[in-house]
Amino acid sequence: MFAFIQDMQLALDALDRLVDTLEERGPLSAVEAARALFATPSISDGLACSLLADATAGDSRVRCDGAMVSLSDGRTDPLLDEAEFVVFDLETTGLSAARSRICELGAVRVRALELVDSYQSLVNPQTALPESIARLTGLREQELRQAPSVGTVLRRFLAFAGDNLLVAHNARFDQRFLEQQLLRLHGRRLAEPPLCTAALARRLLEGRVRRVGLASLAHFFGVSTRPCHRALPDAEATAEVLVRLIGLAQEVGARHLSDLRALAAPRKRRVYGKRSLAHGAPTRPGVYLFRDRHEQVLYVGRARDLRARLRSYFRSERQRPSVEAALTALDRIEWRVLGSELEAALEELRLIRELQPPANSRSRRRDHGVYLRRRGDELVAGKQATELGPIPSRREASLAARALASSSTEEVDGLLQGRPLPRLRERLSHLSDNLRYEEAARLRDRLEALERVIDRLCRLERLRALELCILAPAIEPGEQKAFFVCGGGLCAVRSLRPGARRQIDSALSLCSAARERARSPLTPEQAEDLLLVDGFIRRTPPELTVLPLDADRIEAHVRLAPPPRAEVDYV
């Protein structure tokens, strides 16, 4: 079942990409659309039309007209005074749509601004009801066991709703649960996202209310139904709030249902108009550079899928302030396709160090990284390289040094084994037991910083001992990219073809030289490289192969590896 849900989710993600392509390029022929949706290099007209009709059924965004596919614009747009809505609410066994289940569903029909009908049902969640949910809702596990299945309840609810616009408060939460079940049971999702009364209230009541929770809005408008964490009463309260919000929307000029949708939609950021700068980006790994009108590089990033990553910058969610500022000044996006995400990550680091883009947080920390060292009888944090570093935060290093102020030489020598920690924890407990809370708080902060520093130093010590070769796809056909790690750093990078023994031997010679100087302190750049590589090793993507530094094994793998599948950008 899990594999089925994964397959269906992949199909829905592909449909989202088709919608993005239609927005970018306009209507497509059925063959072009099928190539985009199913990633197939060749397909007949008849098969393309048949597959597209099945894949886009129930999705109101896409319209298939014979041999052409386009975005749908044929939704009805009634007057708000005449529109019909179905307001619904779910009670669930938890907050995660993937792990939790629906246990109650309530809905109210609103027609011509009047509440005219309702639907309510308990749902058997086929799982234990958490005690916290039972206390919150008043539901009991025994009555849920006798309730109908989620499939039966959803079928009745969808029949009740018909083609009317769904409405919910904080609609994304309810939508996730509803679509998770629709996906599992029927392999489809809602034809249109529900209208969110919370989003509508934020827009229409801006500056008038501090909170837009359902209870707050019910109190603000003085509705007759009090929200109580039960599906039908909460749906009724939401429906009454919706009617009041429609009245406010009409006061600001809204007349049709489309006007209400526009008011509830996330506000477009100023950078939304620049989304065309990402058009044409490939669905391949690589790095990208944001440039302003003077060609200065503002920001450097990497992506496993350049197209998806670049498009994400122009959606409704704001980026962190420095990136948002870079997007405001953005004039051109440059991207460079690479063979793998690992290669892209290393290239990103190189470009940030070389170009120092203002919007990259790492670029603002020049010479970042401090070390712990002895000065007399105490430890201090400084730039002088030692075995105890580098530590990216000077404040954290200073707190750790203060925690070690009373440590013996033996404890400091055994720092990576955590020798000072038991004594410091015992001291913290003693201070707390004797009500010396201010001293205990200071020691607690220093002890927590020391624990983080020791964890980092232990991880770096383990990474210094790495000796391996990582093989990754290369951008050039028939080649593989080999990354040789040894002696506490990335020693060599080679593009290998079958029979490239000489290149392998030269890289291994560099590894031998690096091994001899392996005990010298790590530079901040080496540590950053090692930590990046470690992230890929611990969760190795399927396209990477990790091998020991053995020339025969590396050569054999390069020789026996199947030729890389041709990558095609279909749209």
Side-chain angles (χ1 to χ4, degrees):
M1 177 59 71
F2 180 71
F4 168 75
I5 292 175
Q6 279 190 315
D7 291 341
M8 291 307 304
Q9 188 61 55
L10 288 172
L12 295 176
D13 290 344
L15 196 54
D16 288 339
R17 290 197 298 273
L18 174 60
V19 171
D20 287 342
T21 303
L22 291 171
E23 288 178 347
E24 178 180 327
R25 296 178 53 184
L28 298 173
S29 70
V31 170
E32 290 176 312
R35 290 177 64 191
L37 191 60
F38 304 112
T40 178
S42 62
I43 189 170
S44 67
D45 289 348
L47 182 58
C49 292
S50 176
L51 291 175
L52 284 168
D54 291 338
T56 60
D59 195 309
S60 63
R61 300 171 298 172
V62 181
R63 181 177 63 203
C64 297
D65 293 327
M68 293 300 296
V69 180
S70 61
L71 293 176
S72 176
D73 57 1
R75 294 187 300 191
T76 58
D77 194 17
L79 292 169
L80 289 175
D81 290 336
E82 303 170 358
E84 191 165 327
F85 306 87
V86 171
V87 184
F88 75 102
D89 183 74
L90 304 176
E91 297 302 327
T92 64
T93 61
L95 300 178
S96 169
R99 297 187 298 272
S100 305
R101 296 291 181 265
I102 299 170
C103 57
E104 188 180 25
L105 189 153
V108 176
R109 189 186 310 283
V110 177
R111 181 185 298 135
L113 304 183
E114 296 286 342
L115 281 63
V116 297
D117 197 3
S118 66
Y119 169 79
Q120 184 273 338
S121 178
L122 297 177
V123 181
N124 186 345
Q126 302 291 327
T127 187
L129 184 68
E131 181 59 31
S132 59
I133 302 299
R135 288 197 304 268
L136 181 68
T137 62
L139 293 170
R140 294 293 175 261
E141 194 165 328
Q142 184 175 0
E143 60 184 346
L144 293 180
R145 289 199 198 104
Q146 301 169 0
S149 68
V150 67
T152 300
V153 174
L154 284 186
R155 185 169 62 252
R156 294 171 182 170
F157 167 66
L158 294 175
F160 174 82
D163 294 330
N164 298 312
L165 178 65
L166 295 178
V167 181
H169 198 77
N170 290 322
R172 290 183 65 182
F173 175 85
D174 299 274
Q175 180 186 356
R176 284 198 297 269
F177 275 88
L178 202 56
E179 292 196 329
Q180 181 80 8
Q181 296 303 320
L182 286 174
L183 182 63
R184 184 174 67 87
L185 296 169
H186 305 294
R188 69 180 185 89
R189 59 183 173 187
L190 297 173
E192 181 178 1
L195 184 80
C196 181
T197 48
L200 196 58
R202 287 190 193 96
R203 184 72 175 271
L204 295 171
L205 296 174
E206 188 173 5
R208 298 174 62 183
V209 294
R210 293 181 59 189
R211 296 184 177 90
V212 293
L214 182 56
S216 299
L217 293 178
H219 176 75
F220 178 82
F221 286 117
V223 303
S224 62
T225 306
R226 180 181 177 184
C228 59
H229 296 289
R230 290 298 299 268
L232 185 56
D234 286 6
E236 290 173 341
T238 303
E240 292 187 59
V241 167
L242 172 67
V243 172
R244 305 299 199 282
L245 291 171
I246 289 175
L248 294 178
Q250 289 174 321
E251 290 178 12
V252 297
R255 293 291 176 266
H256 292 82
L257 185 55
S258 60
D259 300 323
L260 196 67
R261 285 190 181 101
L263 286 170
R267 295 188 185 183
K268 292 180 180 178
R269 293 151 59 223
R270 285 191 300 168
V271 301
Y272 181 76
K274 298 184 179 183
R275 64 192 186 281
S276 61
L277 296 176
H279 289 177
T283 57
R284 303 282 298 279
V287 295
Y288 52 91
L289 298 83
F290 290 170
R291 295 183 180 272
D292 64 12
R293 60 191 181 92
H294 302 295
E295 285 297 299
Q296 178 187 355
V297 176
L298 304 171
Y299 180 74
V300 173
R302 75 168 194 261
R304 186 176 183 86
D305 181 332
L306 284 167
R307 176 181 296 172
R309 184 71 185 98
L310 290 173
R311 285 178 173 176
S312 71
Y313 284 106
F314 304 102
R315 294 174 185 154
S316 58
E317 300 86 1
R318 290 181 62 84
Q319 307 292 319
R320 67 175 186 268
S322 60
V323 178
E324 193 72 17
L327 290 170
T328 301
L330 179 64
D331 185 69
R332 183 171 73 88
I333 300 175
E334 174 188 341
W335 54 78
R336 303 173 187 177
V337 176
L338 297 169
S340 66
E341 189 180 7
L342 171 60
E343 186 179 4
L346 291 168
E347 179 67 4
E348 177 196 32
L349 275 183
R350 186 191 69 79
L351 288 171
I352 289 173
R353 292 166 186 164
E354 176 185 327
L355 301 174
Q356 297 290 318
N360 285 92
S361 57
R362 279 191 294 257
S363 68
R364 293 196 296 272
R365 293 181 288 144
R366 298 192 183 201
D367 301 324
H368 59 282
V370 296
Y371 301 79
L372 296 177
R373 64 179 177 87
R374 286 187 179 279
R375 189 173 65 187
D377 294 333
E378 60 180 2
L379 280 164
V380 296
K383 289 292 184 182
Q384 182 178 330
T386 70
E387 297 297 320
L388 300 179
I391 303 162
S393 167
R394 177 179 283 275
R395 180 179 181 277
E396 196 155 89
S398 298
L399 286 172
R402 290 173 195 164
L404 294 168
S406 60
S407 297
S408 64
T409 302
E410 181 183 1
E411 284 182 325
V412 174
D413 291 341
L415 184 63
L416 297 187
Q417 289 75 45
R419 288 183 189 170
L421 296 180
R423 178 181 59 80
L424 293 172
R425 290 178 183 136
E426 184 178 341
R427 172 66 176 165
L428 179 62
S429 178
H430 173 75
L431 291 174
S432 298
D433 292 343
N434 287 274
L435 309 184
R436 297 163 64 178
Y437 296 126
E438 290 185 6
E439 291 178 72
R442 286 195 294 270
L443 180 57
R444 178 203 61 207
D445 294 342
R446 294 171 183 176
L447 181 55
E448 289 176 353
L450 177 61
E451 288 171 339
R452 290 191 293 269
V453 166
I454 290 176
D455 286 345
R456 177 184 172 86
L457 293 178
C458 289
R459 186 180 176 191
L460 288 176
E461 187 68 15
R462 175 177 61 82
L463 295 178
R464 289 169 69 99
L466 284 180
E467 294 190 2
L468 48 86
C469 172
I470 306 174
L471 290 177
I475 193 64
E476 297 82 4
E479 290 190 0
Q480 292 189 68
K481 209 80 164 185
F483 302 88
F484 294 84
V485 180
C486 185
L490 186 64
C491 297
V493 179
R494 296 287 188 271
S495 293
L496 302 180
R497 290 180 177 272
R501 182 59 178 253
R502 182 177 298 177
Q503 291 176 287
I504 296 172
D505 289 340
S506 70
L508 293 179
S509 296
L510 293 175
C511 291
S512 297
R515 192 179 294 118
E516 295 176 2
R517 56 177 185 271
R519 295 316 306 168
S520 59
L522 290 174
T523 66
E525 289 74 17
Q526 285 177 315
E528 201 168 30
D529 288 347
L530 282 175
L531 292 169
L532 186 151
V533 170
D534 185 49
F536 283 89
I537 295 172
R538 286 187 292 115
R539 299 180 183 86
T540 308
E543 69 271 13
L544 300 186
T545 302
V546 181
L547 298 171
L549 293 181
D550 182 293
D552 293 333
R553 289 189 61 179
I554 297 171
E555 184 181 26
H557 191 280
V558 173
R559 183 175 64 252
L560 296 176
R565 180 175 59 87
E567 297 281 356
V568 180
D569 272 327
Y570 294 105
V571 294

